[in-house]
Amino acid sequence: MAASDHGARRRTLAGIEIFRDTDRDDLARIEQRCRWRSYQPGQSVIERAAPTHEVHFVVAGAVRVEDHAASGRVVSFQDVREGGLVGELAAIDGGERSASVVAVEPTTTAALDPRSFLNLLADHPEVSLATMQRLADMVRQASGRIMELSTVGAHNRVHAEVLRLARERAGSDGESARISPIPAHADIASRVSTTRETVARVLSELSKQDLIRRERNALVVPDLPALTELVERARAE
Amino acid sequence: MAASDHGARRRTLAGIEIFRDTDRDDLARIEQRCRWRSYQPGQSVIERAAPTHEVHFVVAGAVRVEDHAASGRVVSFQDVREGGLVGELAAIDGGERSASVVAVEPTTTAALDPRSFLNLLADHPEVSLATMQRLADMVRQASGRIMELSTVGAHNRVHAEVLRLARERAGSDGESARISPIPAHADIASRVSTTRETVARVLSELSKQDLIRRERNALVVPDLPALTELVERARAE
């Protein structure tokens, strides 16, 4: 099976960010304790509220951390790509899974039991610090989103999300950007907490204002400074 | 000066939660590196975006972590009481101050420079783990708030906040609660991201439904199960 082969080729944690300063021999011992698993897009890696506490290192592919309201609305928190990890909250505090995690690409993870993960943190201050830096980043991202949800309307949150995606892909001059593939309306909606219909309407408005242009396989932002100004003006209101 | 006396009486970190497993001699060395400061309610402990990176241990009193939108709206993130700490994000990742911190009671903090804090984390795995557990809790709280902002209207967020305050003070039978002193409308508004006017209107409605009762110095919730049902019904819609 392709997915397993894929996993077998990559049974190393060398690319995981929190291990960037860990020596090769120590890493080999951790690798031996991991269970390696492959997932197809859409498959569940962690189920919300499940009584599991492993940490998953994302060795290849990408996963999405998301939660579903009782109403069915999906709120997505972050996409974690190759080199990252998910599931560390429950491993660290023993609490329940606060969100679900689903593969969004063909993905391989290395799952480590919580006891081994905690021993690893205790024995390796550099891994501990890297883990704290990740958590600090998660708190900062979440606080920024709370501010945005508290103070900026849905239209402007869609503008801000397009700007974020554009900046990740901006050309070296910072004047324009090409977002490819074109992001799904549902993905933008779950990231900024609005409906797909609102996303469609706002993108159509941006298009009429020549702030975005839809091409065959990309969303082009021809004038980044103009979009930036639109977003910042809304924040100041 | 009363504030300084107050500080002088309490120059110990023994009550700080992340030091619960740290031995007395090690703690004494950390105490010597701290700068001890007192604040009156309303005084700033940390300014947003300031180029400072100390950690403040809250030795006495209470502080509020909050941010101000360009529009002037205040969003409060958490109140940290005696035993807690603030300012750890910037110490851990070297980034800028993501929020401001202001005293809400007469407060004493012990400020430790970021280099000493990072050395402390590296030398004391138990402090490191306790710090990670705090950060994990902050991520969980923030995720819960993002879900609430994304899926529940302002009215129901006020109901949920009254329920949270009531549960913190519930009588042992869990049937009723007395919230005292009466929380300010502005404080509830900044915690659930709405206006004071909305808070006033919603409390008045709850009062008409006999779900809350205003007494001289307390807000009484006579029937916790009924308020719980109101909050949970809104989540399922």
Side-chain angles (χ1 to χ4, degrees), chain B residues 1-13 36 38 59-60 108:
Chain B
M1 202 178 97
S4 312
D5 290 344
H6 185 63
R9 266 204 324 278
R10 298 237 200 179
R11 297 209 158 179
T12 167
L13 296 173
W36 303 73
S38 295
V59 174
T108 302

Side-chain angles (χ1 to χ4, degrees), chain A residues 73 93 96 140 150 193 237, chain B residues 73 93 96 140 150 193:
Chain A
R73 180 179 274 197
D93 66 14
E96 76 169 16
R140 286 178 185 273
S150 301
S193 306
E237 270 162 13
Chain B
R73 180 178 275 197
D93 66 13
E96 76 168 18
R140 286 177 186 274
S150 301
S193 305

